[in-house]
Amino acid sequence: MTLSLNQKAALLSLLLLAVGLLVWEAAIPGQKPLSEMTEYERLTGGGAQKAGVPPPSQVIAKAWEQLSNPFYDAGPNDKGIGIQIGYSIYRVLTGYALAAIVALPLGFLIGMSPVAYRALNPFIQVLRPISPLAWMPLALFIIQDSEASAIFVIFICSIWPMLINTAFGVAGVRSDWVNVARTHELGPLKTAFTVILPAAAPTIITGMRISIGIAWLVIVAAEMLVGGTGIGYYVWNEWNNLDLTSVIFSILMIGVVGMLLDSAFGALQRAVAYAE
Amino acid sequence: MSKPFLSVENLTQSFPDGKGGTMTVFENATFGVEEGEFVCILGHSGCGKSTIMNILAGLAEPTSGVVKMDGFEVSGPSLDRGVVFQNYSLLPWLSALRNVMFGVKARHPDWSKAKVAEHSETYLSMVGLDGDAIHRKPAQLSGGMRQRVSIARAFANHPKLLLLDEPFGALDALTRGTIQEELLKIWGGTKQTVFMITHDIDEAILLADRILLMTNGPLARVAESVEITIDRPRSRTGIVEHPNYYPIRNHLVHFLGRRSKELAGQPSNGAPQSPETVRIDFTSPGPDDAGDESLRLRAVTN
């Protein structure tokens, strides 16, 4: 039997998944039925439901239940997973888009002008290592709105990789290509859009891909803090409900959405890539 | 004497030498190129050929001196001066056709897209590129094909002056031969003024009306202007049969091998440095050089 590399890898992945799930399922200690317990066990509370890590079968059942009706809304603390994820994506994309609006032109400027680079570099170097959540109290105080504060935190965490990569990509455009634009009498704006932007696009998109990854990491933590809606709040809320099945299910959903966001940018990256 | 089409006057380029002084690459270089003329410039590395080229293209500023084209001073790059770079300088994210269209669109912003594409395809087919190949990206083309695209891009714009910076330097000898003949063919059709840098003596003889010879740098100068007295149309196999071919070739080899060193490093003392005209012709010996046995027959004009 001959299998392609991809087929072999897929088969191995499925095998690993199956083994993992089986080990997980087997590792959960079963609870004896009431009828098999001794009187002593029943008297010491053995019959009460124990809180434990749920087996994968329960998580799958939960996932099925949630995913078959993802958009129900039964009050502030009981919304479908689709609605929660929708809120998170909305916040991530809003903050991310604002960051792109600022970072891309600014990165262009820094990449084109050595003076701007040197002038802005100290600020970037100081602001970049700050954990986005450290901004949260300040944001809450100044903006006075938890929703907008969460968006601000996404904005501030996604701006740096985009800014730095744009500047780096623009500064690294080969002078030959810029000379081609110059000998064809292209104006600065036309040069920026027809030569520098496509030349720097792979580097810029790499920065945007890193940014969206960070933004998705941060939104969960931010929503745990601001509460109300969103996948981060959902995880925390289910933890407070001691519903570990839902916690595990939502952790998996965070992973799936993150993967989808990343692969969207991966596709974009392939579209603008070029070989020299 | 009327001004030539392209006139380079007292061009000087010097750089700081890193020790507080200046290093003069060339000084008061003065020469002209007539309209429709194909001029090659030969010289060793470091004599400032590429610097002259960049100044003509408007990509660099000389320390002093002016370049005038058609009576106007050259400042900054212009569509009237097309450049073919040694490393092709194609935009790698565009197909061959799109690269040529890029140039044509810059030249004719008012043309429709179809007209731009049609014009570009015409020029690509002139350098032997058509069919599927024109839709490929530069990375999928061979070096020779890339340089063809680059030449098509330059010719398609009908610049008044075409600057070729060692266009065949990176190609193997066989490909170089083919593209040289294509270049001759396309130039024969347009009769553009061409100024070309090369390291290759045979290439220069094949292509040029006149070869400018530069001495070694620093303080290089354009020492001689050798007329290529071989009728057109020329072919690689045909020119070697011509009685003037080897005398001219020997003169050039002799210059590059020995005299470029001997003549090097002479300061100009402020005087314009014009090249001496050298004419080697064994087909119809004139009265001046009838008795001269030397291969270096010169009729100095100025």
Side-chain angles (χ1 to χ4, degrees), chain B residues 121-178:
Chain B
E121 280 178 40
T122 313
Y123 276 83
L124 278 166
S125 70
M126 271 192 224
V127 290
L129 282 176
D130 43 24
D132 195 32
I134 65 171
H135 298 295
R136 285 196 227 145
K137 301 268 170 74
Q140 299 161 306
L141 298 171
S142 67
M145 281 161 115
R146 284 185 224 175
Q147 194 55 288
R148 285 187 172 102
V149 176
S150 182
I151 290 171
R153 180 173 68 185
F155 271 95
N157 272 358
H158 299 290
K160 287 184 186 163
L161 173 67
L162 196 58
L163 300 162
L164 309 178
D165 186 358
E166 278 189 63
F168 310 125
L171 302 179
D172 66 272
L174 290 174
T175 313
R176 198 184 301 176
T178 329

Coordinates of all heavy atoms in Angstrom, one line a residue, chain B residues 121-178:
Chain B
E121 N 3.0 44.0 -25.7 CA 3.2 42.7 -26.4 C 4.0 42.8 -27.6 O 4.9 42.0 -28.0 CB 1.9 42.0 -26.6 CG 1.3 41.4 -25.4 CD -0.1 40.8 -25.7 OE1 -0.3 40.2 -26.7 OE2 -1.0 40.9 -24.8
T122 N 3.8 43.9 -28.4 CA 4.6 44.1 -29.6 C 6.1 44.2 -29.3 O 6.9 43.5 -30.0 CB 4.2 45.5 -30.2 OG1 2.8 45.6 -30.2 CG2 4.7 45.6 -31.6
Y123 N 6.4 44.9 -28.2 CA 7.8 45.0 -27.9 C 8.4 43.8 -27.4 O 9.6 43.4 -27.6 CB 8.1 46.2 -27.0 CG 8.2 47.5 -27.8 CD1 7.0 48.2 -28.3 CD2 9.4 48.0 -28.3 CE1 7.1 49.3 -29.1 CE2 9.5 49.1 -29.1 CZ 8.4 49.8 -29.5 OH 8.5 50.9 -30.3
L124 N 7.6 43.0 -26.6 CA 8.1 41.7 -26.1 C 8.4 40.8 -27.2 O 9.3 40.0 -27.2 CB 7.1 41.1 -25.1 CG 7.2 41.7 -23.7 CD1 5.9 41.3 -22.9 CD2 8.4 41.2 -23.0
S125 N 7.5 40.8 -28.3 CA 7.7 39.9 -29.4 C 8.9 40.3 -30.2 O 9.6 39.5 -30.8 CB 6.4 39.8 -30.2 OG 6.3 41.0 -30.9
M126 N 9.3 41.6 -30.2 CA 10.5 42.1 -30.9 C 11.7 41.5 -30.3 O 12.7 41.3 -31.0 CB 10.5 43.6 -30.8 CG 9.8 44.3 -31.9 SD 10.3 46.0 -31.9 CE 8.8 46.8 -32.1
V127 N 11.7 41.2 -29.0 CA 12.9 40.6 -28.4 C 12.7 39.1 -28.2 O 13.4 38.4 -27.5 CB 13.2 41.2 -27.0 CG1 13.7 42.6 -27.1 CG2 12.0 41.1 -26.1
G128 N 11.7 38.6 -29.0 CA 11.6 37.1 -29.1 C 10.8 36.5 -27.9 O 11.0 35.3 -27.6
L129 N 10.0 37.3 -27.2 CA 9.2 36.7 -26.1 C 7.7 36.8 -26.5 O 7.2 37.9 -26.7 CB 9.4 37.5 -24.8 CG 10.7 37.2 -24.1 CD1 10.8 38.1 -22.9 CD2 10.7 35.8 -23.6
D130 N 7.0 35.7 -26.6 CA 5.6 35.7 -26.8 C 5.0 34.4 -26.3 O 5.7 33.6 -25.7 CB 5.3 35.8 -28.3 CG 6.1 35.0 -29.2 OD1 6.6 34.0 -28.7 OD2 6.3 35.3 -30.4
G131 N 3.7 34.3 -26.5 CA 3.0 33.1 -26.0 C 2.9 33.1 -24.5 O 2.7 34.1 -23.8
D132 N 3.1 31.9 -23.9 CA 2.9 31.7 -22.5 C 4.0 32.4 -21.7 O 3.7 32.9 -20.5 CB 3.1 30.2 -22.3 CG 2.5 29.8 -20.9 OD1 1.6 30.4 -20.5 OD2 3.1 28.8 -20.3
A133 N 5.2 32.6 -22.2 CA 6.3 33.1 -21.4 C 6.0 34.5 -20.9 O 6.5 34.9 -19.8 CB 7.6 33.1 -22.3
I134 N 5.2 35.3 -21.6 CA 5.1 36.7 -21.2 C 4.2 36.8 -19.9 O 4.1 37.8 -19.3 CB 4.5 37.6 -22.3 CG1 3.1 37.2 -22.7 CG2 5.4 37.6 -23.5 CD1 2.4 38.2 -23.6
H135 N 3.5 35.7 -19.6 CA 2.6 35.7 -18.4 C 3.4 35.2 -17.2 O 2.8 35.0 -16.1 CB 1.3 35.0 -18.6 CG 0.5 35.7 -19.7 ND1 0.0 36.9 -19.6 CD2 0.2 35.2 -21.0 CE1 -0.6 37.3 -20.7 NE2 -0.5 36.2 -21.6
R136 N 4.6 34.8 -17.4 CA 5.4 34.3 -16.2 C 6.0 35.4 -15.4 O 6.3 36.4 -15.9 CB 6.4 33.3 -16.7 CG 5.8 32.0 -17.1 CD 6.9 30.9 -17.3 NE 6.8 30.2 -18.5 CZ 7.8 29.8 -19.2 NH1 9.0 29.9 -18.8 NH2 7.5 29.1 -20.3
K137 N 6.3 35.0 -14.1 CA 7.0 36.0 -13.3 C 8.5 35.9 -13.6 O 9.0 34.9 -14.0 CB 6.7 35.6 -11.8 CG 5.3 35.6 -11.4 CD 4.8 37.0 -10.9 CE 3.3 37.1 -10.7 NZ 2.8 36.3 -9.6
P138 N 9.2 37.0 -13.3 CA 10.6 37.0 -13.6 C 11.4 35.8 -13.0 O 12.3 35.3 -13.6 CB 11.1 38.3 -13.0 CG 10.0 39.2 -13.0 CD 8.8 38.3 -12.8
A139 N 11.0 35.3 -11.8 CA 11.7 34.2 -11.2 C 11.5 32.9 -12.0 O 12.4 32.0 -11.9 CB 11.1 34.0 -9.7
Q140 N 10.5 32.9 -12.8 CA 10.3 31.7 -13.6 C 11.0 31.8 -15.0 O 10.8 31.0 -15.9 CB 8.8 31.4 -13.8 CG 8.1 31.2 -12.5 CD 6.6 31.4 -12.6 OE1 6.1 32.4 -13.0 NE2 5.9 30.4 -12.2
L141 N 11.7 32.9 -15.2 CA 12.3 33.1 -16.5 C 13.8 33.0 -16.4 O 14.4 33.2 -15.3 CB 12.0 34.5 -17.1 CG 10.6 34.9 -17.3 CD1 10.4 36.4 -17.6 CD2 10.0 34.1 -18.5
S142 N 14.5 32.6 -17.4 CA 16.0 32.5 -17.4 C 16.6 33.9 -17.4 O 15.9 34.9 -17.7 CB 16.5 31.7 -18.6 OG 16.2 32.5 -19.8
G143 N 17.9 34.0 -17.1 CA 18.5 35.3 -17.0 C 18.4 36.0 -18.4 O 18.1 37.2 -18.4
G144 N 18.6 35.3 -19.5 CA 18.5 35.9 -20.8 C 17.1 36.5 -21.0 O 16.9 37.6 -21.6
M145 N 16.1 35.7 -20.7 CA 14.7 36.1 -20.9 C 14.4 37.4 -20.0 O 13.7 38.3 -20.5 CB 13.7 35.0 -20.6 CG 13.6 34.0 -21.7 SD 13.0 32.5 -21.1 CE 11.4 32.4 -22.0
R146 N 14.9 37.4 -18.8 CA 14.7 38.5 -18.0 C 15.2 39.8 -18.6 O 14.6 40.8 -18.6 CB 15.3 38.3 -16.6 CG 14.5 37.4 -15.7 CD 15.1 37.3 -14.4 NE 15.2 35.9 -13.9 CZ 15.8 35.5 -12.8 NH1 16.4 36.4 -12.0 NH2 15.8 34.3 -12.5
Q147 N 16.5 39.7 -19.1 CA 17.1 40.8 -19.7 C 16.3 41.3 -20.9 O 16.2 42.5 -21.2 CB 18.6 40.6 -20.0 CG 19.4 41.8 -20.2 CD 19.3 42.9 -19.1 OE1 18.2 43.5 -18.9 NE2 20.3 43.0 -18.3
R148 N 15.8 40.3 -21.7 CA 15.0 40.7 -22.8 C 13.8 41.5 -22.4 O 13.4 42.5 -23.0 CB 14.5 39.4 -23.5 CG 15.5 38.7 -24.3 CD 14.8 37.6 -25.1 NE 15.7 36.9 -26.0 CZ 16.3 35.8 -25.8 NH1 16.1 35.1 -24.7 NH2 17.1 35.3 -26.7
V149 N 13.1 41.1 -21.3 CA 12.0 41.8 -20.8 C 12.4 43.2 -20.4 O 11.7 44.2 -20.8 CB 11.4 41.1 -19.6 CG1 10.2 42.0 -19.0 CG2 10.9 39.7 -19.9
S150 N 13.5 43.3 -19.8 CA 14.0 44.6 -19.4 C 14.3 45.5 -20.6 O 14.0 46.7 -20.6 CB 15.3 44.4 -18.5 OG 15.8 45.6 -18.1
I151 N 14.9 44.9 -21.6 CA 15.2 45.7 -22.9 C 13.9 46.1 -23.5 O 13.7 47.3 -23.9 CB 16.0 44.9 -23.8 CG1 17.4 44.7 -23.2 CG2 16.1 45.5 -25.2 CD1 18.3 43.7 -24.0
A152 N 12.9 45.2 -23.5 CA 11.6 45.5 -24.1 C 10.9 46.7 -23.4 O 10.4 47.6 -23.9 CB 10.7 44.3 -24.1
R153 N 11.1 46.6 -22.0 CA 10.5 47.7 -21.2 C 11.1 49.1 -21.5 O 10.4 50.1 -21.6 CB 10.7 47.4 -19.7 CG 10.1 48.4 -18.8 CD 10.2 48.0 -17.3 NE 11.6 48.0 -16.8 CZ 11.9 47.6 -15.6 NH1 11.0 47.1 -14.8 NH2 13.1 47.5 -15.2
A154 N 12.4 49.1 -21.8 CA 13.1 50.3 -22.1 C 12.7 50.8 -23.5 O 12.4 52.0 -23.6 CB 14.6 50.2 -21.9
F155 N 12.8 49.9 -24.5 CA 12.5 50.4 -25.8 C 11.0 50.8 -26.0 O 10.7 51.7 -26.8 CB 12.8 49.2 -26.8 CG 14.3 49.3 -27.3 CD1 15.3 48.6 -26.7 CD2 14.6 50.1 -28.3 CE1 16.6 48.6 -27.1 CE2 16.0 50.2 -28.8 CZ 16.9 49.5 -28.1
A156 N 10.1 50.1 -25.3 CA 8.7 50.3 -25.5 C 8.3 51.8 -25.1 O 7.3 52.3 -25.6 CB 7.9 49.4 -24.6
N157 N 9.2 52.4 -24.3 CA 8.9 53.8 -23.9 C 9.4 54.8 -24.8 O 9.3 56.0 -24.6 CB 9.5 54.0 -22.5 CG 8.5 53.6 -21.4 OD1 7.4 53.2 -21.7 ND2 8.9 53.7 -20.2
H158 N 10.1 54.4 -25.9 CA 10.8 55.4 -26.8 C 11.5 56.5 -26.1 O 11.2 57.7 -26.3 CB 9.7 56.0 -27.7 CG 9.0 55.0 -28.6 ND1 9.6 54.3 -29.6 CD2 7.7 54.5 -28.5 CE1 8.7 53.5 -30.1 NE2 7.6 53.6 -29.5
P159 N 12.4 56.2 -25.2 CA 13.1 57.3 -24.6 C 14.0 58.0 -25.6 O 14.4 57.3 -26.6 CB 14.0 56.6 -23.5 CG 14.1 55.2 -24.0 CD 12.9 54.9 -24.8
K160 N 14.3 59.2 -25.4 CA 15.2 59.9 -26.3 C 16.6 59.4 -26.2 O 17.4 59.4 -27.2 CB 15.3 61.4 -26.0 CG 14.0 62.1 -26.4 CD 14.2 63.6 -26.1 CE 12.8 64.4 -26.3 NZ 12.9 65.7 -25.7
L161 N 17.0 58.9 -25.0 CA 18.3 58.4 -24.8 C 18.1 57.1 -24.0 O 17.4 57.0 -23.0 CB 19.1 59.3 -23.9 CG 20.5 58.8 -23.5 CD1 21.4 58.6 -24.7 CD2 21.1 59.8 -22.5
L162 N 18.8 56.0 -24.5 CA 18.7 54.7 -23.8 C 20.0 54.4 -23.2 O 21.0 54.5 -23.8 CB 18.3 53.7 -24.9 CG 17.8 52.4 -24.4 CD1 16.5 52.6 -23.5 CD2 17.5 51.5 -25.5
L163 N 20.0 54.2 -21.9 CA 21.2 53.9 -21.1 C 21.2 52.4 -20.8 O 20.3 51.9 -20.1 CB 21.2 54.8 -19.8 CG 21.2 56.3 -20.1 CD1 20.8 57.0 -18.8 CD2 22.5 56.8 -20.6
L164 N 22.3 51.7 -21.2 CA 22.4 50.3 -20.9 C 23.6 50.1 -20.0 O 24.7 50.4 -20.4 CB 22.6 49.5 -22.2 CG 21.6 49.8 -23.3 CD1 21.9 48.9 -24.5 CD2 20.1 49.4 -22.9
D165 N 23.4 49.6 -18.8 CA 24.4 49.5 -17.8 C 24.9 48.0 -17.8 O 24.3 47.2 -17.1 CB 24.0 49.9 -16.5 CG 25.1 49.9 -15.4 OD1 26.2 49.5 -15.8 OD2 24.8 50.3 -14.3
E166 N 25.9 47.7 -18.6 CA 26.3 46.3 -18.7 C 25.2 45.3 -18.8 O 25.1 44.4 -18.0 CB 27.2 45.9 -17.5 CG 28.6 46.4 -17.6 CD 29.5 45.9 -16.5 OE1 29.6 44.6 -16.5 OE2 29.9 46.6 -15.7
P167 N 24.3 45.5 -19.8 CA 23.1 44.7 -19.8 C 23.4 43.2 -19.9 O 22.5 42.4 -19.5 CB 22.3 45.2 -21.0 CG 23.4 45.8 -21.9 CD 24.4 46.3 -21.0
F168 N 24.5 42.8 -20.5 CA 24.7 41.4 -20.8 C 25.8 40.8 -19.8 O 26.2 39.7 -20.0 CB 25.1 41.1 -22.2 CG 24.2 41.8 -23.2 CD1 24.7 42.7 -24.1 CD2 22.9 41.6 -23.1 CE1 23.9 43.4 -25.0 CE2 22.0 42.3 -24.0 CZ 22.5 43.1 -24.9
G169 N 26.2 41.6 -18.8 CA 27.3 41.2 -17.9 C 27.0 39.9 -17.2 O 27.9 39.1 -17.0
A170 N 25.7 39.6 -16.9 CA 25.5 38.4 -16.1 C 25.0 37.2 -16.9 O 24.6 36.2 -16.4 CB 24.4 38.7 -15.0
L171 N 25.2 37.3 -18.3 CA 24.6 36.3 -19.1 C 25.8 35.4 -19.6 O 26.9 35.9 -19.8 CB 23.8 36.8 -20.3 CG 22.7 37.7 -19.9 CD1 22.0 38.3 -21.1 CD2 21.7 37.0 -19.0
D172 N 25.5 34.2 -20.0 CA 26.5 33.3 -20.6 C 26.7 33.7 -22.0 O 25.9 34.4 -22.6 CB 26.0 31.9 -20.5 CG 24.8 31.6 -21.3 OD1 23.7 31.8 -20.8 OD2 25.0 31.3 -22.5
A173 N 27.9 33.3 -22.6 CA 28.3 33.9 -23.8 C 27.3 33.6 -25.0 O 27.1 34.5 -25.8 CB 29.7 33.3 -24.2
L174 N 26.7 32.4 -25.0 CA 25.8 32.1 -26.1 C 24.6 32.9 -26.1 O 24.1 33.5 -27.1 CB 25.4 30.6 -26.0 CG 26.6 29.6 -26.3 CD1 26.1 28.2 -26.1 CD2 27.0 29.8 -27.8
T175 N 24.0 33.0 -24.8 CA 22.8 33.9 -24.7 C 23.1 35.3 -25.1 O 22.3 36.0 -25.7 CB 22.3 33.8 -23.3 OG1 22.3 32.5 -22.8 CG2 20.9 34.4 -23.1
R176 N 24.3 35.8 -24.6 CA 24.7 37.1 -24.8 C 24.7 37.4 -26.4 O 24.2 38.4 -26.8 CB 26.1 37.3 -24.3 CG 26.5 38.7 -24.1 CD 27.9 38.8 -23.6 NE 28.1 38.1 -22.3 CZ 29.3 38.0 -21.7 NH1 30.4 38.5 -22.3 NH2 29.4 37.3 -20.6
G177 N 25.3 36.5 -27.1 CA 25.3 36.7 -28.6 C 23.9 36.8 -29.2 O 23.7 37.7 -30.0
T178 N 23.0 36.0 -28.8 CA 21.7 36.1 -29.3 C 21.0 37.4 -29.0 O 20.4 38.0 -29.9 CB 20.8 34.9 -28.7 OG1 21.6 33.8 -28.4 CG2 19.7 34.6 -29.6

